[in-house]
Each structure stands twice: as structure tokens, then as C-alpha cells.
């Protein structure tokens, strides 16, 4: 079983929204950042417990975090903004894991495989798989256009994939990165909804499909 590692909370998520309280005092700012981390962890815990039955209530999240309503509103405009921040935190964690994995791969073939294994790691560990389903269910019920949380996670992943494709000489790397990310996230969701973990044959076939689609034909799998 593979577990995505914990990662430092990204500043873009820590900012919560345009109204989030910021402090020139570093100690006070560290306290604010810790409060956001606690709220996101609490939101994950409540969503994990509820699954896909009903959205978490703000009172449940605040209670789980051991915080006050005043502290909650110091950072987030609404429960929905916190759910979006929790979703973005998950994407940023994935982006960090992918970056670490592809860095260790020696060539584009290995890097594409590392991306595939990184995406599938989300569904290989039971608790993480259940949490991902709960977060995705909750985020599907929210209008992102109404949220103050910027979509930083998706942009981070596209940038990562685009950079590695550009380094490999792939034409129109940024556009190709969108295609690759869409394929990997869609395939992951397919297996996720079926409660199945992709086997080695699935992973190898997906790697060949990606590489050939990118015009890279000299691969270990071909």
C-alpha cells in the first residue's frame, strides 16, 4: 500500500480567501496558519466519518478542531470555502508527491510511469481512498465560482507535467500536459468508483498509451 506523504500547507491555501487575516507579527501569523491546518484536518475527519451521506456542518468541523466560530471566520468566509480549501490541499499534496516521484525517474518513460503510479496511489490505501471519495462528493456540491479559494492545486500539477514534457522535447508541452492530466485523473476516478486498484498490466498499458500519444515511441514497454 502506498500513502501520499504529508506536505507543508501551501501558502495559497493558507491565505484562505481575500479577506483572511494576515499579521506582520511572525508568531501570530504562525498561530493563524496552525489554525487553518487544524480546520482542514478537522474537515477531513468529519467528511471521512460522514462519507457520501451528507455534507459536514460547520459546527461539527469547529467542534472537531476544538476551535471557536470566531476563529473559523477569521480564516474562512463559509463552510464551503473550507471544503474547497481541503480539496485544494489534497491536490497540492498530490502535486508534491508527484514532483518527488518524477524527480527520481531517469527519463521520460520513467517519469510518465511515476505520474501514473502517483495518481493511482490515491486509491491504493483504503483510508485515503475513502477520504478522496468523500471530498470529491462534497466538492461536486459546491459552486467553485462562488469560492474565494484559488484553484492552485490543478495549476501546480499542470505546471509540473508541462515542465517535464518540455524537458523531454514534447511539442506544445502545456497543452499536452492538460491532456495527460485529464487522462490520468479520469482513469483514476474510473477505478476509484469501481473500488478497484489498477494492476501492473493496467499501469503499463496506460504508460504506453501516454507515451505514444505524446509521440514518444522508444519506450521500454513498446
Amino acid at each position: 500500500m502506498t500513502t501520499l506523504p504529508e506536505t507543508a500547507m501551501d501558502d495559497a491555501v493558507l491565505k484562505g480567501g481575500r479577506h483572511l487575516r494576515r499579521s506582520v507579527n511572525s508568531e501570530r501569523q504562525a498561530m493563524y496558519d496552525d489554525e487553518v491546518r487544524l480546520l482542514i484536518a478537522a474537515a477531513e475527519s468529519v467528511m471521512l466519518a460522514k462519507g457520501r451521506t451528507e455534507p459536514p456542518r460547520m459546527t461539527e468541523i469547529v467542534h472537531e478542531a476544538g476551535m471557536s466560530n470566531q476563529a473559523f471566520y477569521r480564516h474562512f468566509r463559509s463552510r464551503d470555502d473550507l471544503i474547497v480549501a481541503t480539496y485544494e490541499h489534497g491536490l497540492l499534496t498530490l502535486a508534491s508527491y508527484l514532483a518527488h516521484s518524477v524527480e527520481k525517474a531517469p527519463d521520460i518513460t520513467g517519469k510518465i510511469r511515476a505520474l501514473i503510479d502517483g495518481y493511482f496511489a490515491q486509491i491504493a490505501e483504503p483510508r485515503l481512498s475513502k477520504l478522496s471519495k468523500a471530498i470529491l462528493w462534497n466538492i461536486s456540491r459546491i459552486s467553485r465560482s462562488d469560492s474565494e479559494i484559488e484553484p492552485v492545486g490543478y495549476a501546480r500539477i499542470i505546471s509540473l507535467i508541462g515542465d517535464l514534457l518540455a524537458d523531454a522535447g514534447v511539442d506544445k508541452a502545456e497543452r499536452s500536459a492538460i491532456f495527460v492530466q485529464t487522462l490520468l485523473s479520469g482513469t483514476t476516478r474510473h477505478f476509484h468508483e469501481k473500488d478497484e486498484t489498477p494492476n501492473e498490466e493496467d499501469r503499463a498499458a496506460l504508460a504506453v498509451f501516454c507515451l505514444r500519444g505524446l509521440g514518444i515511441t522508444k519506450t521500454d514497454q513498446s
Side-chain angles (χ1 to χ4, degrees), residues 121-132:
Q122 300 174 87
I123 56 179
E125 199 277 318
R127 182 186 180 279
L128 184 58
S129 176
K130 184 179 178 182
L131 176 60
S132 296

Side-chain angles (χ1 to χ4, degrees), residues 149-164:
I149 308 299
E150 297 295 330
V152 291
Y154 174 79
R156 181 76 58 82
I157 293 172
I158 292 296
S159 177
L160 168 68
I161 299 174
D163 287 347
L164 72 88

